[in-house]
Every structure is written in structure tokens, then in C-alpha cells.
Amino acid sequence: MNLKDQSKIQDVAIIMDGNGRWAKNRSRPRIWGHVRGASVVSKIAESASDLELNSLTLYAFSTENFSRPDQEVNFLFKLLDKFLIKEKQKILKNNIHFRVIGKFDFLSEKTLRKVRELEDLTKDNTGLKLRFAFGYGGRAEIVEACNTLISKNLKASEENISKHLYDEIINIDLLIRTGGDQRISNFLLWQSAYAELFFTNTFWPDFSSQEFQDILSQVSTRERRFGGIHTSSETEFQKENQTHL
Ligand code: FPP
């Protein structure tokens, strides 16, 4: 694969931040921001599917989010349940391969059943790989992978760790964060090693398909070198650097 092919944006991840502030600006409770945020999830997943991206991974609930008030935490669990009911047909119609990644066994049996059912129904779909990171932490994911290697008596190598992560998507091309903060917050630490980063001030409930497409176009023009350099040939390199070699 040449550098040009590698540069194509195919695997995208989003930290969907700013729901609370969006609601506060409208004198509404924080959870209203999450409700509006959930409808944006549906629109952006549809755009990602239309744009024929390989994958879209969304940070819906981090391990750190447990420190929020119980009511907000429980509301987010319910929102996931509702999302699974509401979006099921659209996910099936669009040939989307759906999975939840993380340690989410704290969810109710009822929700877990819906997750498993949708994962199972879509497992052979060949369209967009849509991932919900729920109960997800990047460090925990790497630690779990290492512990599995130890239990299997395998040595730690990049290849072996990659194979034992929660999911098959091991390289993210673009990581977007909405809401104005510029940090990664323990999201896809291994997978984002060479990701392009894009931070927007837009709060998640205001994030639109148009902005999503604009970000993709803008980032596609960035030169991605993956630690290499762009020279047309060995000979050209020698010519340019001759006096110092
Ligand atoms: C961060 O905004 C957002 C979350 C912790 C949850 C993300 C959830 C959604 C976008 C709703 C969709 C989820 C499902 C399960 C369908 P924040 O509350 O930290 O915002 P703030 O930084 O303005 O307080």
C-alpha cells in the first residue's frame, strides 16, 4: 500500500462532547442535551454510511463517566436502550455492522439482550462498521489485551496486542472532538497512534452532517507521512542531500 492510499480517511472516531453546556445555554437540564445528542448520533451515523466510510466509533460512555450523578448515569443507560429500539430498522436497512465496545456488563439484562441481538443481526453486514464505546477506557482496553496475552502465554508484540483489543478496527484515521476541549480523554489510545486530530468548538447537539463532511474534506488535504517523508525517489533524495551525505 502506498502512502497515498494510507492517507485516505476511512476510520473515524468522535468524542461527542458539549451536551451539558448546550443544554445549560438554553436553561434546560443536562439530560436534555443528551436527548438532543442522541438524535445527532443517528444523523452522523447515516452520513458516515452515505460517505462509505469504513468505520465510525462513537464515545458514548467512558469508564470515567461513572463519577457523574447516578441519575445522569442511569439516564445515559436508558438512552442507549432507546437508541437500540429506535434505530434498529435504519441500521439494518443501511447494511450497518453494529457493535458495542468496552466493559458494559453493568447494563441491565434487557439492554444487554438488545445489544447482543443487534450485534448478531448485523454481524454479516458489509457496510459501515458502527461502534458505540460504552463503559470504555483506552488504558483498560490495553491492560485487558495484555492480560489475555499472559493467560495465553503469548508475548506482547504490536501484532498480538492489536489482535486482542475489543475490536478489529486498530487504526483510526481521524479523531474528532466536539465541545471545544482539546484532549483525548482515554479514548482509543492504541488505535489513534497516527490519527489526525480535529477539535471543533461546536457542542455535540449542534454538530451537523455538513460540518462532518467539511471536516473530512479539510483533513483529507493534510499530508500524512506516518513517520516517513515525501520524496519522489531515492535518486532525488541523494541529489538534494548530496553535500551532507
Ligand atoms: C459529553 O457531554 C457526552 C457524554 C458523556 C455522553 C455522550 C452521549 C450522547 C451524545 C448521547 C447519545 C448516547 C447514546 C447512548 C445514544 P457532556 O455532558 O460532558 O457535556 P459538557 O462537557 O458540556 O458537560
Side-chain angles (χ1 to χ4, degrees):
M1 190 188 271
N2 65 32
L3 281 178
K4 199 159 173 280
D5 291 334
Q6 279 189 351
S7 301
K8 207 165 164 244
I9 304 296
Q10 301 185 77
D11 295 285
V12 177
I14 309 183
I15 301 175
M16 309 179 288
D17 198 13
N19 293 349
R21 282 165 287 164
W22 181 90
K24 191 165 175 245
N25 286 347
R26 285 159 182 78
S27 310
R28 303 291 298 259
R30 291 181 54 79
I31 55 172
W32 176 243
H34 295 318
V35 172
R36 295 297 293 258
S39 60
V40 175
V41 167
S42 163
K43 277 193 285 185
I44 300 303
E46 203 165 358
S47 297
S49 173
D50 292 345
L51 293 164
E52 298 183 356
L53 296 183
N54 181 54
S55 71
L56 177 68
T57 307
L58 301 170
Y59 210 2
F61 190 82
S62 71
T63 42
E64 290 75 21
N65 287 151
F66 272 113
S67 62
R68 295 183 177 213
D70 284 352
Q71 280 185 328
E72 181 171 344
V73 168
N74 288 327
F75 189 82
L76 286 167
F77 297 171
K78 274 200 208 130
L79 212 50
L80 173 65
D81 195 271
K82 280 200 180 138
F83 182 90
L84 295 167
I85 300 171
K86 195 163 165 254
E87 300 300 321
K88 182 175 167 182
Q89 289 313 323
K90 209 195 273 179
I91 286 175
L92 293 174
K93 191 182 108 218
N94 288 329
N95 190 28
I96 288 173
H97 179 210
F98 177 82
R99 278 200 67 203
V100 178
I101 58 167
K103 272 203 89 61
F104 50 90
D105 48 6
F106 49 78
L107 290 169
S108 70
E109 194 44 50
K110 183 181 76 145
T111 307
L112 284 175
R113 219 177 306 122
K114 291 194 186 87
V115 169
R116 284 189 217 109
E117 189 204 24
L118 196 55
E119 286 185 340
D120 196 49
L121 280 172
T122 64
K123 69 179 189 310
D124 297 322
N125 285 356
T126 52
L128 176 78
K129 294 176 173 58
L130 177 63
R131 292 349 186 194
F132 263 39
F134 216 91
Y136 177 88
R139 287 184 175 177
E141 180 181 29
I142 297 167
V143 169
E144 261 190 64
C146 291
N147 280 330
T148 312
L149 293 183
I150 293 168
S151 68
K152 289 183 174 175
N153 215 6
L154 289 169
K155 75 175 171 62
S157 64
E158 290 197 16
E159 195 191 351
N160 278 344
I161 292 178
S162 296
K163 272 191 201 152
H164 290 83
L165 296 174
Y166 294 135
D167 195 37
E168 75 213 54
I169 300 151
I170 48 162
N171 283 302
I172 291 296
D173 298 313
L174 168 63
L175 174 61
I176 300 171
R177 181 178 187 132
T178 63
D181 288 326
Q182 304 199 354
R183 52 177 170 264
I184 296 177
S185 300
N186 203 13
F187 192 37
L188 301 175
L189 298 180
W190 183 274
Q191 297 86 337
S192 298
Y194 280 97
E196 294 296 319
L197 305 178
F198 196 101
F199 302 102
T200 167
N201 288 331
T202 306
F203 293 140
W204 177 252
D206 280 333
F207 193 69
S208 63
S209 298
Q210 186 59 57
E211 183 169 2
F212 185 48
Q213 282 183 47
D214 290 346
I215 293 172
L216 288 169
S217 317
Q218 210 176 309
V219 174
S220 313
T221 64
R222 290 188 192 168
E223 186 186 73
R224 302 181 72 202
R225 295 188 296 277
F226 303 94
I229 53 170
H230 273 279
T231 48
S232 27
S233 68
E234 229 13 60
T235 343
E236 195 166 306
F237 178 87
Q238 280 204 345
K239 220 171 20 179
E240 284 169 7
N241 294 275
Q242 208 166 21
T243 51
H244 303 287
L245 289 171

